[in-house]
């Protein structure tokens, strides 16, 4: 999902991209090295991940291989070949018991296997920062949350499908976060990496990027329904009940409050991030034209 948006921004910027999918397993160090030797990039943008949050509970080793060992392999090759590295992580590295938005230096405490595997990846990537000053290389970890966009299953697409079929929906109200459009994330993250014309690369380190505004999944679903109806989607849903997470048990615990503070990234980019409601509008308009 994110990789498609990243490619669209890089294509607009007329930057050559060698995009890989499963044919390059980032968990396989020798393959990663030969890929870099063959293509000699200046930057690595890692959008690959094991993202099935619930399955990760039973498959933690597999999740760790992709989300922990994979980024470590990319970081190692970036250090050897002096490449810039842009990597993505998640709000699920936090416990979700805070009362104000999480800053980049807030204490981490993942509640599930996916979050643990992503935290390991962050740590392995950031440990390559040593000696970064001399080479001028940048290594950035961009944490984001609640992604939606083209190219993969996501909450907005799932809701649209359900809303077309059912009159009544039940959606969880006791988890709060910041929905984020992949196009907006790609623009901001590539800006931080110095890959758009906007500005030079920001400093190395962790950045939080998310659309503005916070909501619950129930609030998000209500927003989607209202906007989709206004855009003329054919929908059957009339009522969305707010339910507690305990009524919708999942294998992996979710952080109740995973709102990211994006002050640092916005300062580095010199602009504010737009509200998620505007981004949802753009995404729905695109889907409406499909
Ligand atoms: N989605 C969200 O709500 C969300 C929220 C916060 C953070 N993030 C982070 O944002 C980033 C992008 O997420 P996304 O939702 O765009 O992910 P996605 O749509 O699931 O895409 C991940 C891609 O990585 C591929 N992949 C899996 N294992 C691989 C391996 N060993 N080597 C190479 N490729 C591999 C997957 O292939 P297959 O499809 O064949 O498995 C898939 O194409 C990830 O770092 C994710 O952790 C996502």
């Amino acid at each position: 999902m994110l990789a498609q948006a990243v490619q669209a921004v890089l294509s607009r910027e007329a930057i050559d991209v060698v995009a890989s999918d499963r044919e390059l397993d980032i968990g396989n160090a020798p393959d990663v090295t030969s890929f870099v030797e063959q293509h000699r990039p200046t930057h690595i943008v890692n959008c690959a991940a094991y993202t099935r949050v619930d399955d990760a509970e039973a498959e933690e080793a597999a999740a760790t291989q992709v989300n922990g060992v994979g980024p470590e392999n990319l970081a190692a090759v970036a250090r050897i070949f002096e490449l810039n590295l842009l990597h993505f992580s998640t709000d699920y590295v936090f416990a979700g018991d805070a009362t104000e938005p999480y800053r980049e230096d807030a204490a981490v405490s993942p509640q599930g296997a996916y979050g643990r595997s992503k935290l390991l990846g962050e740590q392995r990537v950031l440990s390559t920062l040593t000696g970064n000053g001399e080479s001028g290389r940048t290594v950035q970890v961009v944490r984001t949350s609640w992604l939606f966009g083209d190219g993969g299953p996501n909450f907005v697409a799932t809701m649209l499908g359900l809303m077309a079929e059912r009159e009544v929906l039940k959606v969880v109200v006791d988890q709060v976060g910041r929905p984020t459009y992949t196009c907006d994330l790609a623009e901001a993250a590539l800006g931080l990496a110095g890959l758009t014309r906007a500005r030079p690369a920001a400093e190395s380190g962790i950045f939080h990027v998310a659309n503005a505004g916070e909501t619950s999944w129930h609030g998000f679903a209500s927003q989607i329904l209202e906007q989709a109806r206004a855009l003329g989607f054919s929908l059957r849903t009339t009522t969305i009940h707010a339910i507690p997470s305990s009524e919708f048990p999942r294998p992996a615990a979710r952080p109740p409050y995973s709102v990211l503070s994006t002050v640092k990234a916005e300062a580095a980019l010199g602009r504010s991030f737009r509200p998620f409601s505007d981004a949802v509008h753009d995404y729905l308009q695109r889907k409406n034209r499909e």
Side-chain angles (χ1 to χ4, degrees), residues 162-279:
L162 291 172
M163 287 167 184
E165 287 170 10
R166 300 190 195 170
E167 285 181 11
V168 178
L169 299 182
K170 291 180 181 177
V171 182
V172 168
V173 75
D174 53 4
Q175 293 165 26
V176 174
R178 286 178 72 161
T180 304
Y181 189 25
T182 49
C183 296
D184 292 354
L185 169 61
E187 187 74 43
L190 293 168
L192 292 168
L195 287 169
T196 65
R197 271 160 287 191
R199 280 173 178 246
E203 62 187 23
S204 292
I206 302 178
F207 292 87
H208 290 172
V209 172
N211 279 117
E214 59 182 71
T215 188
S216 66
W217 291 114
H218 176 266
F220 193 20
S222 305
Q223 171 85 237
I224 294 160
L225 180 63
E226 189 182 315
Q227 290 209 33
R229 186 154 278 145
L231 285 168
F233 281 74
S234 173
L235 304 173
R236 297 190 63 195
T237 299
T238 52
T239 310
I240 307 179
H241 290 300
I243 57 163
S245 311
S246 54
E247 274 189 41
F248 188 56
R250 309 276 290 271
R254 265 65 175 174
Y257 177 89
S258 64
V259 176
L260 300 174
S261 163
T262 53
V263 170
K264 181 182 170 188
E266 287 172 295
L269 291 167
R271 65 179 177 85
S272 306
F273 297 146
R274 66 175 172 162
F276 73 83
S277 51
D278 292 1

Side-chain angles (χ1 to χ4, degrees), residues 1-4 20-28 46-53 62 65-67 70 87-92 114 118 142-148 150-155 180 182 185 217 260:
M1 189 160 61
L2 175 60
Q4 288 193 11
S20 66
D21 201 330
R22 282 297 189 124
E23 75 282 4
L24 172 61
D25 175 2
I26 61 166
N28 183 320
N46 178 34
C47 300
Y50 182 115
T51 54
R52 299 190 313 277
V53 174
Q65 180 67 16
V66 184
N67 294 342
H87 175 66
F88 291 91
S89 190
T90 171
D91 54 333
Y92 283 20
Y114 168 75
K118 292 295 292 182
V142 173
R143 292 189 189 129
T144 189
S145 58
W146 293 29
L147 285 189
F148 63 93
D150 289 333
N154 66 80
F155 185 79
T180 304
T182 49
L185 169 61
W217 291 114
L260 300 174

Side-chain angles (χ1 to χ4, degrees), residues 126-148:
L126 289 169
S127 64
T128 67
L129 278 170
T130 320
N132 171 58
E134 296 135 48
S135 67
R137 203 161 44 89
T138 58
V139 179
Q140 289 147 336
V141 173
V142 173
R143 292 189 189 129
T144 189
S145 58
W146 293 29
L147 285 189
F148 63 93

